[in-house]
Amino acid sequence: MTSSSEGDGVAPDAEREAPSASDAERAPLPSAAAEPPRSPATITGAPDEPDEVAAGPVESGPDPERLRARFGRPFEAGDVIFREGEPGTEAYLLEEGRVRLIKKVRGAERSLMVLKPGDLFGESALLGGAARWSTAIALSRGVALALDQGTLQNLVERNPAVALRIIKQLVGRLRDAEDQIEIMMLTDTQSKVVNALLKLAQQSRAASSSSSNGASFAISPMELSTRVGLDVDTVKRAVQQLREGQYLRVADERLEIPDIDALRRLFSLLGLKDEIRGEQ
């Protein structure tokens, strides 16, 4: 994440120019009909036909190239992959590109999250007949694996690595939801941003098993604004204030927090100021 020419603290991001659900009335994600016809047995990996995806040794896992050849769905920036309220028939595993999930709340569109390669989304399809909980819009060109309930069940049963990956995805989604609830309970804008950055820094340090008191991670303005429930411009102003206070640096498209403890002390101070204002 690099700073803009105006020094606003967060890099301009191509995602910021991405269309919203309201203006992305384009064709949905290309369907299987656009590809060579497949029999139902091929799509679901039914037992009456050899299953290319799961036939290999469990230890080796499924062949990525075969998965993409059979289940890959390409999309372009602005494509609507699915819409809120539609019946969910397939879950998606993002292979390339970026996708934004949006939900309508009292007529207003709210970003839920920005997905990166490796993320599972549209998992409501796994419940069988459940409606989509959100709208998925492509922010860039990419490819997702479209997996129906039978196919995904087949993969999970025959490949423990795939099952573990999905479990980690869902646990991470639950953790992020709990973090967002905590952030939404804060009233101060700067506190929301600092709290989100602290959680990201702690996750980054834990993932790298580093003993350093600093952390570095990549996050776009849209992703950070989604986490804290604020518009992008407000988030960029808050980040700029933190830069000026030397609580963070922006380099090579990444945020660097040199001293997590210092940022944690700032968060405590902001909470104290908020309590004082509330008592007045």
Side-chain angles (χ1 to χ4, degrees):
M1 183 182 301
T2 55
S3 59
S4 69
S5 57
E6 293 80 13
D8 53 16
V10 180
D13 196 291
E15 295 167 356
R16 188 175 174 189
E17 302 300 326
S20 64
S22 59
D23 59 24
E25 301 295 331
R26 308 182 186 185
L29 187 69
S31 64
E35 302 179 359
R38 304 172 183 169
S39 67
T42 303
I43 295 175
T44 60
D48 60 346
E49 181 181 36
D51 191 342
E52 298 176 33
V53 175
V58 170
E59 294 78 14
S60 65
D63 184 339
E65 292 303 319
R66 288 186 177 183
L67 282 174
R68 180 172 294 202
R70 289 184 60 184
F71 306 111
R73 299 289 186 273
F75 53 78
E76 300 290 334
D79 282 351
V80 178
I81 299 174
F82 55 75
R83 295 183 184 279
E84 183 176 354
E86 291 179 345
T89 58
E90 295 172 314
Y92 295 88
L93 189 60
L94 190 59
E95 291 287 292
E96 293 180 8
R98 296 166 82 83
V99 172
R100 179 163 57 136
L101 297 184
I102 294 175
K103 188 172 183 63
K104 279 196 173 184
V105 180
R106 295 181 178 177
E109 293 175 355
R110 303 292 183 187
S111 289
L112 298 178
M113 64 184 62
V114 176
L115 303 166
K116 300 177 181 179
D119 285 344
L120 177 73
F121 64 106
E123 61 270 21
S124 62
L126 305 180
L127 299 179
R132 298 292 188 188
W133 302 329
S134 59
T135 296
I137 298 178
L139 293 173
S140 65
R141 174 182 295 180
V143 177
L145 302 183
L147 307 172
D148 63 25
Q149 191 172 16
T151 299
L152 192 57
Q153 181 176 342
N154 199 335
L155 287 174
V156 168
E157 290 177 350
R158 301 196 186 196
N159 297 277
V162 173
L164 181 60
R165 180 178 177 182
I166 291 175
I167 291 172
K168 288 182 176 179
Q169 284 277 326
L170 297 179
V171 170
R173 193 74 58 83
L174 178 59
R175 179 200 61 202
D176 290 343
E178 291 176 343
D179 287 347
Q180 284 185 312
I181 291 173
E182 179 182 337
I183 291 171
M184 296 304 175
M185 294 176 68
L186 300 172
T187 57
D188 177 63
T189 296
Q190 195 75 346
S191 294
K192 290 176 182 284
V193 174
V194 171
N195 184 279
L197 292 176
L198 277 173
K199 292 183 181 301
L200 290 168
Q202 291 163 355
Q203 291 171 19
S204 173
R205 189 169 63 173
S208 63
S209 301
S210 172
S211 59
S212 168
N213 192 40
S216 174
F217 50 88
I219 187 169
S220 71
M222 181 178 291
E223 289 174 283
L224 187 54
S225 69
T226 296
R227 282 180 173 271
V228 299
L230 300 169
D231 63 83
V232 173
D233 289 336
T234 299
V235 167
K236 293 178 75 173
R237 287 194 295 269
V239 169
Q240 178 61 24
Q241 291 174 6
L242 293 172
R243 289 184 67 193
E244 292 171 352
Q246 299 185 352
Y247 290 102
L248 61 80
R249 295 190 292 263
V250 181
D252 298 329
E253 300 186 356
R254 297 178 69 84
L255 282 181
E256 295 182 0
I257 299 177
D259 190 340
I260 295 177
D261 287 340
L263 192 63
R264 189 177 290 112
R265 288 192 294 270
L266 174 63
F267 180 68
S268 298
L269 179 60
L270 290 170
L272 180 60
K273 290 171 61 177
D274 193 43
E275 288 180 11
I276 294 174
R277 284 197 300 265
E279 293 173 356
Q280 293 176 348

